[in-house]
Amino acid sequence: MSDRRPLRQAAAGIIIASLAVLVLAADQFAKLLAIAQLPPEQPVPVIGDFLIFYLVRNPGAAFSLGEGVTWIFTIAMAAVAVAIVVIARRIRSRIWAVVLGLLLGGVLGNLTDRLFREPGFAVGHVIDYISTPWMMPAIYNVADIFIVTMMISVALLVLVGLRFDGTRERRSSAVEPTGDASEPGDATPLGTGELRDPLFPTADPDAGAPPAAGDGRRES
């Protein structure tokens, strides 16, 4: 099967923007229903303890952390959204376009709450209403689901080496020769050439040995 051609910049942008708008709309619509239909801070079992609706307004992050610095989370989410938009111009891979589009939609869903919900601009509280005690103690929303799952997807795409243009990184497991190793049989004997011992530079194997009979030398 032949590989698909890389996406054009316009096509990748359309995919990312369309999915982001779709997730944003679904998240905000679900939050409007939750506000209209659920009693505040009262558990409403849907499937026993498996799925419970519990409406809260969260000024902080997950597990209600950082409740007094809501504006920091607003800036952080805005920075993530801008980063995704900037990266989107480099995307030529369909799967990267899908993942980033869904991630952007989740980020915009919670960012919309921070910007436009009470108690004020940039310090608004995020609407959370989904509780699954068997999985985690946190209460979350549709935007959170897309943020978490797409962040995991980003990590997996990076792990498998899939680039923004759809190509994969080549990882060679073979060790390339450095060119410094000598061929068998070409090794320089110790004591000669560059391997000569600086303290004993002479590599004469007969140095210090008694003279053989008839060689004309005598012992002193």
Side-chain angles (χ1 to χ4, degrees):
M1 184 175 65
S2 60
D3 295 336
R4 292 183 177 181
R5 292 181 179 178
L7 288 174
R8 294 182 179 179
Q9 181 177 347
I14 290 173
I15 292 175
I16 294 173
S18 299
L19 292 176
V21 170
L22 183 62
V23 173
L24 172 61
D27 174 69
Q28 290 299 309
F29 180 70
K31 288 173 178 175
L32 289 176
L33 287 180
I35 294 172
Q37 301 295 329
L38 298 177
E41 300 185 7
Q42 294 184 26
V44 178
V46 179
I47 309 177
D49 291 335
F50 183 84
L51 176 62
I52 300 173
F53 286 158
Y54 192 91
L55 178 63
V56 295
R57 297 176 182 268
N58 184 9
F63 305 102
S64 298
L65 298 175
E67 295 183 0
V69 287
T70 304
W71 60 273
I72 292 181
F73 301 110
T74 304
I75 294 175
M77 286 188 291
V80 172
V82 171
I84 294 175
V85 172
V86 172
I87 293 173
R89 304 193 316 185
R90 300 167 51 193
I91 300 300
R92 298 295 182 272
S93 165
R94 289 169 178 79
I95 188 169
W96 268 113
V98 171
V99 168
L100 291 182
L102 297 176
L103 176 60
L104 179 60
V107 171
L108 292 177
N110 284 342
L111 181 60
T112 299
D113 287 5
R114 297 294 188 196
L115 294 176
F116 302 114
R117 293 194 185 277
E118 296 179 354
F121 182 79
V123 292
H125 296 177
V126 172
I127 304 299
D128 292 330
Y129 53 90
I130 302 174
S131 175
T132 49
W134 59 273
M135 183 173 61
M136 66 177 71
I139 302 174
Y140 51 96
N141 54 47
V142 170
D144 293 332
I145 294 174
F146 281 99
I147 291 174
V148 172
T149 55
M150 292 306 107
M151 286 301 295
I152 294 174
S153 299
V154 167
L156 291 176
L157 291 178
V158 172
L159 186 63
V160 301
L162 184 64
R163 298 189 179 97
F164 291 153
D165 61 1
T167 61
R168 291 182 182 273
E169 296 179 6
R170 294 183 179 179
R171 298 175 180 175
S172 175
S173 58
V175 178
E176 302 218 351
T178 60
D180 297 333
S182 302
E183 294 292 333
D186 292 341
T188 305
L190 183 61
T192 62
E194 296 181 356
L195 299 180
R196 181 180 301 156
D197 191 332
L199 297 179
F200 302 96
T202 303
D204 184 358
D206 296 327
D215 63 357
R217 292 188 296 178
R218 39 175 205 180
E219 299 181 16
S220 57

